[in-house]
Amino acid sequence: MDLRVDQPLWLLLFIPILIYLIWTWRRDKNSFRKEAKVVFFIRLLAIFCLILGLTNPYLLLPIKEEQVLFLVDRSASVQGTDQQVAEWIEKSMSTRKDSHLVGVYTFAEDFQSEVALTSGEINLPVFAPMKDPGDTDIARALQLSTGIVEPNKATRIVLFTDGIETTGSVTDELVKITGGNVTIDVVQLNRIATEDVAITSFETPPVAFEGEQQQLNVELESTTNTKGEILLYQNDELISRQHLTLEQGTNTYTFRNSSAGEGLLKYEVQVVIAGDGLIENNKLTSVTNVESSPQLLIVTHERNNSNIASVIDQAAIKTDVIDSTELPFDLSNYLAYDAIIFDNVPGHVVGEQKMTVIEQAVKNFGVGFMMVGGKNSFGLGGYFKTPIEKLLPVEMEIKGKHQLPSLGLVIVMDRSGSMSGSKFEYAKEAAARSVEMLREGDTLGFIAFDDRPWEIIETASLENKEEALDTILSVGVGGGTEIYSSLALAYERLSPLKLQRKHIILLTDGQSATSNDYEALIEEGSQDLITVSTVAVGQDADRALLENIAEIGGGSFYDVADESTIPAIMSTETAMISRTYIEDNPFYPTIYGDAAWTSLFADGVPQMNAYIATTPKQTASIVAESEKEDPVLAEWMYGLGRTIAFTSDSTGEWSGDFANWNNWGNFWNTAVSRLLPAYSEVPFTIQKSSDGSYTVADPTGKSSFIEVTAVNEKGEELPVMSEPIAPGKSRVTVESDPGLVFFRVSNEQDALYQAGISIPYSAEYKVQKANSNLLEQIASQTGGKLLTEASEVFRPIEIKSSEKQSIQQMLVLAAIILFFIDITIRRFGFRQLIAPFYKLKRKEKIPNVTSTSNVEKLVKEKKKR
């Protein structure tokens, strides 16, 4: 136990006070009475207590309790060691003392608690699965561990790890820990020995020309001699499959490929080995930019004959025509093209995921996009509230000018347990979009069913859209599936209503628990002008029943394989029955815009038969307009890409005399030329640093600052941290899963460059040994040691911990009491102060005088005196 003070400068007050007291004592000590001397020393003691109290004194009391934390690395690089660690911890518990508090925590990139710090018994459970074992952050684990313990108690962290950190810096964290109450012991972990082959490097030329033979170099690391296969893909298509024999250690392999594609080509190499220990390190991707003529993608539906490809200049623009069902999911496949045209393509075939990827290609990479009308396009195609509507210069919603029929819509949606997950979320989103397309005053009903119908929104006039949307989005899943009673309830609600159009949309993924006469129900409803469409979701839906209901009910049947297409289907259905979208009265459009367009119509404007009604967006540029002031041809810039909406068709059925017009080919060539990227391209350099960041620079020195956007293959924009390090040079950090990431680099002069960057698998999956040097540094810098025996864990901790016990209040109180005694003695005298105690003592000495013998004794004592 030690006495210490926080503010020792107050002790300097003793110097003048002691000088004064010594001088006073020497001057007056001969004249001091006994009481004065007592007062003098009491006052001296009070002053001593008061000054000592000002220094904020405290006692250091030793703490017997010690804290021991087991911190276990459970990342991919040490997979399979959980049982070994658990046994090690259990064995160490035999030497634990009552004074030890023990906790068990695990980490990879995240940190989680297995057994909270406790003085009780430890029954080590099976470790909970780690959320993300693909990275190791030892620094963060140590930081959180030191935040859990009580800082004033001696603490030992027993760290189980291989020392392979893929994020964070443990050396920086050790600086904060060193010198405190925490020591770190280290137990080295090693991956359980397995046969493993890893692709450590895959390099392709950053730039190549079409037809040029490209050399693709692959480097593999093998833990043993083995055999297998190596596969090479170009834009997700297998182009080479070869057998290979690997020796233990580093192996190199070379492909030679003459590409026939253009734009950004994605290459992927994959190795297949029987009994391989880790599959995560068996694949890498790379990107090569193949330069050639502009490339156009035309998307059609059901192989209908699009006239666009036949009239554009094939010598100047290379064109691919594909069916909408063949649209790819990955961003790299779209970046191979300079422009995309949707020719009468329905949204429910495309799906939300592909629309999102296309929207990113237009916004961030300058790919042009054009939508051409027809019965499957725009509002009728189900593009309401989709990413495609977002990028177009027109809205699918018709506002203000059109006479619209009165409408009653009842949505009957399956909420059984099998619908849970993304399927049900898409279904609710689809229902919400349908509600958004309705007008105030339209009639809406919403029935969700499981083993019985639940009337979530009663069929009535729609007065509050927001309330209806919130109600639909709050519905949860339930039990079984009973279709008939729910459909019958929908017919019952719509039958008595006096409306021009009455429609039911039935969506389910299962089969009804009962069999009823659907045909009689539907035929009876058709007398009240009720139509019904059906949507079958997944493999278990009763397709035969749903298709039959739609056929008898005068509606459409949709067979859904991709659940992300459900919102587009519902939008299509709502659009078809809620709006008069097709304007089919022949007219002569009015032409606006710049010379690129108006010069085509110098000899007059042909007549057009029909178009799909839309609403122009506020900043859109109208090129052609109908007599009803609806946009027929509109364009605008969306991000870096230009987009065009042509609400008539390409076949001549709707476009009428336009298809026979002598400038018909020039019309499409002009549209395509408008779609092509107009930015000036600068070859920015992108180099990967050892810490995983990227250095992006302008080698020409013309850029003052650089802006970088990153998008992954799914079209998701990724968070980017950009740190300028010089004019025209930045350090960029991107958070992404392994795979391809596309960089869009631009500067203040609107120069743009795009490149694909391959994000390799985490270093966790590399074939590598434990980082023994780092483990030794952790132990030595914090006063710990590398442990080899479990019995060493609970050895005495050399750092002695203690806690402060302040005595300031006690000293101040003592000073107050002493000053009170001082004042009392000086005021009343010393005898007066002790009088009560004296009287009490006299009283205690008075003997018992009740007996005669005692009285005689008192008389004798008095005579002697």
Side-chain angles (χ1 to χ4, degrees), residues 346-367:
H348 70 267
V349 176
V350 181
E352 296 275 321
Q353 185 175 343
K354 295 175 185 177
M355 292 186 198
T356 300
V357 175
I358 292 171
E359 190 251 348
Q360 285 292 335
V362 174
K363 178 182 177 181
N364 287 314
F365 297 95
V367 177

Side-chain angles (χ1 to χ4, degrees), residues 541-617:
D542 192 340
R543 285 172 173 72
L545 172 64
L546 296 176
E547 190 170 5
N548 188 46
I549 290 174
E551 184 178 352
I552 300 172
S556 302
F557 167 70
Y558 300 91
D559 190 357
V560 175
D562 179 3
E563 54 206 39
S564 72
T565 64
I566 296 174
I569 291 172
M570 298 283 276
S571 295
T572 299
E573 278 296 301
T574 309
M576 290 176 66
I577 55 100
S578 65
R579 301 286 186 268
T580 305
Y581 271 89
I582 301 175
E583 294 289 338
D584 54 2
N585 296 315
F587 67 98
Y588 291 92
T590 303
I591 306 301
Y592 305 98
D594 57 30
W597 290 112
T598 57
S599 61
L600 297 174
F601 300 95
D603 297 329
V605 180
Q607 189 181 53
M608 189 171 285
N609 294 336
Y611 65 93
I612 292 183
T614 59
T615 301
K617 292 180 180 175

Side-chain angles (χ1 to χ4, degrees), residues 321-381:
V321 181
I322 65 171
D323 189 79
S324 54
T325 57
E326 300 171 1
L327 275 170
F329 283 93
D330 294 338
L331 180 63
S332 57
N333 292 292
Y334 294 102
L335 296 186
Y337 296 96
D338 297 286
I340 302 168
I341 297 178
F342 271 25
D343 190 359
N344 196 24
V345 175
H348 70 267
V349 176
V350 181
E352 296 275 321
Q353 185 175 343
K354 295 175 185 177
M355 292 186 198
T356 300
V357 175
I358 292 171
E359 190 251 348
Q360 285 292 335
V362 174
K363 178 182 177 181
N364 287 314
F365 297 95
V367 177
F369 182 86
M370 181 177 187
M371 177 171 281
V372 179
K375 295 179 180 179
N376 297 313
S377 191
F378 292 99
L380 290 178

Side-chain angles (χ1 to χ4, degrees), residues 16 103 152 200 217 225 262 264 266 311 412 477 521 674 720 797:
N152 59 331
T200 56
N217 299 317
N225 297 336
E262 303 88 20
L264 286 177
K266 178 179 74 171
V311 297
V412 182
V477 294
L521 173 67
R674 303 281 288 184
V720 174
I797 300 178

Side-chain angles (χ1 to χ4, degrees), residues 18 32 55 125 197 231 264 285 319 342 461 623 662 703 711 773 779 790:
L18 285 175
F32 277 174
T55 63
V197 175
L231 290 73
L264 286 177
T285 56
T319 305
F342 271 25
S461 177
V623 177
N662 60 349
S703 302
V711 181
N773 292 334

Side-chain angles (χ1 to χ4, degrees), residues 407-411 494 501-505 529-533 553-556 573-574 577:
L407 167 68
L409 174 66
V410 177
I411 300 171
L494 280 176
R501 296 182 182 180
K502 293 181 278 189
H503 191 62
I504 298 170
I505 303 176
L529 304 178
I530 301 174
T531 56
V532 58
S533 292
S556 302
E573 278 296 301
T574 309
I577 55 100

